[in-house]
Amino acid sequence: MISVDEARERILACFAPLTPRRTPLLDALGLVLAEPIIARESIPPFTNSAMDGYAVRASDTRGACPDRPAELRVIGEAPAGTPSPRWFIDEAIPLRIESGMAIRIMTGAVLPPGADAVVRFEDTDESDTPSTSRSRGVVRVRREITTGENVRHAGEDILAGSIVFEPGTVLGPAHLGLLASLGYSWVLVHPRPRIAILATGDEVVPIDWPLEPGQIRNSNSTVLAALVHQTGGIPKLVGIAADREEDVARHLQYTHDADLILTSGGVSQGDYDRIKEFLRARGRFEIWQVRIKPGKPMAFGFVADTPVLALPGNPVAAVVAFLQFARPAILRLLGRADLEPIRVRARLTKPVENRGRRRHFVRALLHRRSGELWVTPVPQQGSGILSSLVHGNCLAVIPEEWSEAPVGSEVTVELYDPSIAAAIFAAES
């Protein structure tokens, strides 16, 4: 048998990020940048007001208070979306606020020349008698304000010519918003890999079929497709192949555009496990016994230059094998650098046996108590008990060197959902 680490290393050595593709901005959510992003302009592109109020010289408000407001002459208005204020007095006056003047200004409007602050409507008598600029000749400011108050300066967020994002950045909603503000409607990213999923076995039937004696529904394809989607790939279900090599070959015809093929079942030592014979006959493959529990038999190789990862047929074993081997391969195809799950250390609340000298991935529930992390194995650990994954929120890892993990043992715990990790660390249970 080979170790989990060796199997993962040999699989990942066969994967590299997919060739970058220029993609519409909204389609790039969750994808990895393959180019540096240079700011074509500053953000904000001009100095503007952060509030609805009056553009003023801060020095004109010195000493202002409700009992002794500063009175300023309103000479115009500055609505958002216009390059300069509208003036109400002699157009011959220079386009500039002088001492004792104010301009009524809206959020996002260009700050007029001469102004160095904005006083909010709430800090003037505007709140007493709302009006437009044209009906108001004087505004009374009830609070002293400081230079730069309620002002957004040009380039205070991003300076033109600066590097905004480096290649390798995973694009989230905020990244897309910043790219949009810079005028990027398309970006160069590593595309989502297409993952073909094939179930095998005479006993496996579609999920909407009535069951006959000896049959089971195809849950593996559904859970693997969901895991592919969660990881960032595009799942493609290609059906269920019977335990005949010609039927496996027929279904694999539908995987010609895949970046990775996942199969479930057909790789153990049974008389009707045909996947391993097909892989040996049609492609370049290695059949492994991996030191992992649940699961052990697995195959990896290529059919027509497409990598194929043959997972165990038992549903929990298929999920655990996906998390250990397929997930990091998909992340590498995406161009991600973070291939590992979230790992923490926690103490066992119950003992765990580990016969067979295999690395045991125990379905468990991680919780926080009195500032310390504890992990409780769920009651049923059979490789066919899919509900054990529902009742747990993590995998507790028992090393292959341990035959038993007593209560209180500190073990590594793997978390695959960041929201679960955040909830655990945010609250005491």
Side-chain angles (χ1 to χ4, degrees):
M1 287 196 292
I2 66 173
S3 70
V4 172
D5 297 331
E6 182 183 352
R8 187 187 296 120
E9 182 179 340
R10 289 165 70 173
I11 290 169
L12 287 177
C14 299
F15 290 86
L18 294 176
T19 302
R21 185 180 305 162
R22 203 155 291 281
T23 302
L25 189 59
L26 277 178
D27 292 341
L29 180 64
L31 297 184
V32 177
L33 267 179
E35 63 179 347
I37 296 297
I38 309 298
R40 299 166 175 168
E41 57 207 21
S42 293
I43 302 175
F46 51 86
T47 300
N48 65 89
S49 175
M51 293 283 182
D52 293 336
Y54 287 87
V56 300
R57 289 187 171 191
S59 58
D60 286 339
T61 68
R62 190 170 296 123
C65 63
D67 294 334
R68 284 196 322 277
E71 290 192 1
L72 303 175
R73 185 159 52 104
V74 181
I75 61 172
E77 65 181 4
T82 58
S84 60
R86 299 168 183 166
W87 300 88
F88 300 147
I89 56 179
D90 188 347
E91 296 294 339
I93 293 179
L95 201 66
R96 181 178 180 82
I97 289 183
E98 302 294 345
S99 180
M101 296 179 182
I103 287 181
R104 196 168 186 269
I105 193 168
M106 299 297 110
T107 302
V110 177
L111 192 71
D116 58 15
V118 173
V119 58
R120 304 180 306 160
F121 285 150
E122 295 90 330
D123 295 323
T124 72
D125 60 347
E126 173 95 4
S127 57
D128 299 335
T129 56
S131 62
T132 64
S133 297
R134 290 188 181 276
S135 63
R136 173 182 290 275
V138 172
V139 63
R140 294 174 177 82
V141 179
R142 295 168 169 167
R143 182 176 70 83
E144 181 177 327
I145 63 171
T146 58
T147 300
E149 191 168 342
N150 300 322
V151 172
R152 295 186 290 223
H153 294 280
E156 72 176 17
D157 189 359
I158 302 291
L159 282 174
S162 63
I163 297 178
V164 182
F165 301 128
E166 298 280 3
T169 300
V170 181
L171 298 177
H175 298 86
L176 300 190
L178 196 51
L179 287 165
S181 68
L182 290 167
Y184 284 87
S185 57
W186 292 69
V187 287
L188 189 68
V189 293
H190 299 286
R192 299 185 188 281
R194 295 157 298 184
I195 313 299
I197 298 170
L198 173 65
T200 68
D202 289 341
E203 75 280 15
V204 183
V205 298
I207 60 175
D208 54 353
W209 281 27
L211 290 180
E212 300 291 338
Q215 294 181 335
I216 58 172
R217 294 193 177 92
N218 179 21
S219 63
N220 278 359
S221 290
T222 297
V223 70
L224 290 175
L227 286 167
V228 166
H229 182 76
Q230 185 181 63
T231 306
I234 302 172
K236 178 183 179 181
L237 302 182
V238 295
I240 304 167
D243 288 322
R244 297 186 301 276
E245 290 186 30
E246 62 272 18
D247 201 39
V248 175
R250 180 174 66 84
H251 280 81
L252 287 178
Q253 292 176 357
Y254 305 116
T255 67
H256 61 89
D257 60 344
D259 300 300
L260 169 64
I261 300 168
L262 297 178
T263 68
S264 62
V267 288
S268 63
Q269 303 301 313
D271 293 342
Y272 296 94
D273 290 323
R274 302 300 185 195
I275 283 288
K276 60 181 185 293
E277 283 83 2
F278 176 87
L279 298 181
R280 284 190 175 118
R282 304 292 182 92
R284 297 174 284 125
F285 275 88
E286 295 181 67
I287 309 298
W288 295 333
Q289 296 286 302
V290 181
R291 213 171 274 121
I292 187 173
K293 182 180 180 179
K296 182 170 64 173
M298 197 175 71
F300 176 74
F302 293 82
V303 168
D305 295 324
T306 301
V308 181
L309 181 58
L311 305 175
N314 280 323
V316 177
V319 169
V320 170
F322 176 94
L323 294 175
Q324 297 306 310
F325 309 115
R327 180 181 181 272
I330 294 171
L331 290 174
R332 179 158 286 177
L333 289 171
L334 281 161
R336 296 279 291 266
D338 53 332
L339 307 186
E340 303 296 329
I342 299 168
R343 290 192 174 98
V344 297
R345 300 285 287 177
R347 295 191 180 279
L348 286 168
T349 63
K350 296 180 180 179
V352 177
E353 285 190 358
N354 188 29
R355 291 171 292 181
R357 298 186 63 81
R358 291 185 285 166
R359 189 174 301 177
H360 191 182
F361 291 89
V362 178
R363 280 73 69 207
L365 190 64
L366 181 68
H367 58 281
R368 195 175 184 88
R369 188 177 67 216
S370 301
E372 192 171 1
L373 290 175
W374 295 85
V375 63
T376 302
V378 301
Q380 295 178 298
Q381 292 288 324
S383 62
I385 301 176
L386 197 55
S387 62
S388 66
L389 292 167
V390 175
H391 297 143
N393 60 9
C394 66
L395 296 176
V397 186
I398 310 301
E400 45 268 63
E401 298 84 7
W402 294 13
S403 59
E404 182 183 9
V407 172
S409 300
E410 189 177 58
V411 297
T412 297
V413 174
E414 296 183 348
L415 295 154
Y416 291 87
D417 186 339
S419 64
I420 291 175
I424 290 170
F425 285 100
E428 294 270 342
S429 62

